[in-house]
Amino acid sequence: MKKITIAIDGFSSTGKSTLAKELAKHLGYVYVDTGAMYRAVALFSMQKGYIGKDFFDKESLINSLPFIKLVFKFNPDLGFAEMYLNDVNVEKEIRTIEVSNYVSKVAEIPEVRSKLVEQQKEMGKNKAIVMDGRDICTVVFPEAELKIFMTSSPNTRAQRRYEELIQKGDKISFDEVLKNIEERDYIDTHREDSPLLKADDAIEIDNSNISRKEQFEMVLKLIGN
């Protein structure tokens, strides 16, 4: 079968990464979680003291971009690649609610997006890739053979994210998660540089009321697999 590029965009906590991982494993494709890349930059900003609840030193972050090394390393035990920031595995650290609170603010900086989009385009030069994020269909791979836009109600997404965080042992309330999702939705859709929007030729999937299995089978039919 001809190798293609599969681009998946959508709102936070719609299960983009889960679907992308399943597709990549089934097809034998490379999977790239672009959200992990932005989360790693957000974590770097937190570690350096560039960002906090009431401040954001954007200039210092921009000046530090040449010193941020992002690499995905495949973990055979997990079956997917993990995010490394400057040679340190930060896969667990970047999934916290604290990072979630800052990632959209970091991701709206044009210089950050330019650096990461350049890397993402390079990763997909040989096709046979599944990549998910906010601007994959519109900016990174506008010529992708299959474009998917995932959406779901804020409450449904918050419940999924809340259960995921609780299972990890995080102490957090549902209202905190819902607020975070609503704030990220607003920032992602209103930023000037590469806002989250549905590409004209992307196929929209609302997974509010369908199972992961139903969604996976739906996309396989779109691929023709």
Side-chain angles (χ1 to χ4, degrees):
M1 179 180 289
K2 178 185 176 183
K3 302 296 184 181
I4 66 171
T5 297
I6 302 174
I8 304 176
D9 284 336
F11 292 94
S12 63
S13 300
T14 49
K16 298 184 301 298
S17 297
T18 299
L19 173 63
K21 287 177 186 176
E22 292 175 341
L23 290 171
K25 184 176 181 180
H26 180 84
L27 298 168
Y29 278 19
V30 172
Y31 163 63
V32 177
D33 175 6
T34 63
M37 299 173 73
Y38 287 102
R39 283 176 172 274
V41 177
L43 178 64
F44 176 89
S45 301
M46 293 165 62
Q47 293 173 338
K48 293 296 185 180
Y50 296 157
I51 193 169
K53 187 175 182 181
D54 302 312
F55 66 92
F56 187 6
D57 185 353
K58 297 181 181 180
E59 185 175 349
S60 290
L61 172 57
I62 293 170
N63 291 335
S64 296
L65 287 176
F67 308 104
I68 298 178
K69 178 185 176 184
L70 303 177
V71 177
F72 285 101
K73 294 185 180 180
F74 185 75
N75 184 327
D77 294 328
L78 297 176
F80 61 86
E82 296 178 295
M83 185 79 256
Y84 281 71
L85 167 63
N86 292 337
D87 300 318
V88 177
N89 187 329
V90 293
E91 187 65 30
K92 182 178 180 180
E93 290 82 355
I94 63 174
R95 305 299 176 181
T96 64
I97 191 67
E98 289 79 16
V99 171
S100 294
N101 287 333
Y102 299 129
V103 64
S104 289
K105 294 178 181 178
V106 168
E108 68 178 342
I109 298 176
E111 290 84 354
V112 172
R113 301 203 69 82
S114 177
K115 175 184 174 70
L116 269 56
V117 166
E118 181 181 354
Q119 292 181 20
Q120 292 155 14
K121 285 179 177 289
E122 184 66 24
M123 292 175 185
K125 284 177 65 175
N126 297 319
K127 296 187 179 290
I129 190 169
V130 185
M131 189 176 289
D132 70 279
R134 300 291 191 280
D135 62 351
I136 312 306
C137 300
T138 54
V139 176
V140 182
F141 297 132
E143 304 302 323
E145 289 86 348
L146 177 60
K147 300 179 186 177
I148 297 171
F149 186 86
M150 295 175 63
T151 184
S152 185
S153 69
N155 276 358
T156 298
R157 290 184 281 134
Q159 185 62 40
R160 291 171 181 165
R161 181 67 173 148
Y162 171 71
E163 292 174 357
E164 178 184 325
L165 290 170
I166 291 299
Q167 288 177 358
K168 291 180 179 179
D170 290 5
K171 295 181 179 179
I172 193 168
S173 70
F174 172 81
D175 288 341
E176 286 179 280
V177 178
L178 179 60
K179 179 182 178 183
N180 171 256
I181 281 178
E182 291 175 336
E183 288 178 346
R184 289 181 65 189
D185 285 353
Y186 183 83
I187 294 174
D188 289 342
T189 55
H190 287 78
R191 63 175 177 241
E192 291 186 14
D193 186 12
S194 306
L196 169 64
L197 52 85
K198 176 180 173 293
D200 292 338
D201 54 348
I203 298 169
E204 182 170 331
I205 296 178
D206 185 333
N207 61 19
S208 299
N209 300 301
I210 62 175
S211 67
R212 278 176 52 180
K213 182 179 179 182
E214 290 172 326
Q215 176 176 263
F216 179 67
E217 291 176 347
M218 183 187 303
V219 177
L220 282 185
K221 289 181 180 179
L222 295 174
I223 299 171
N225 188 277

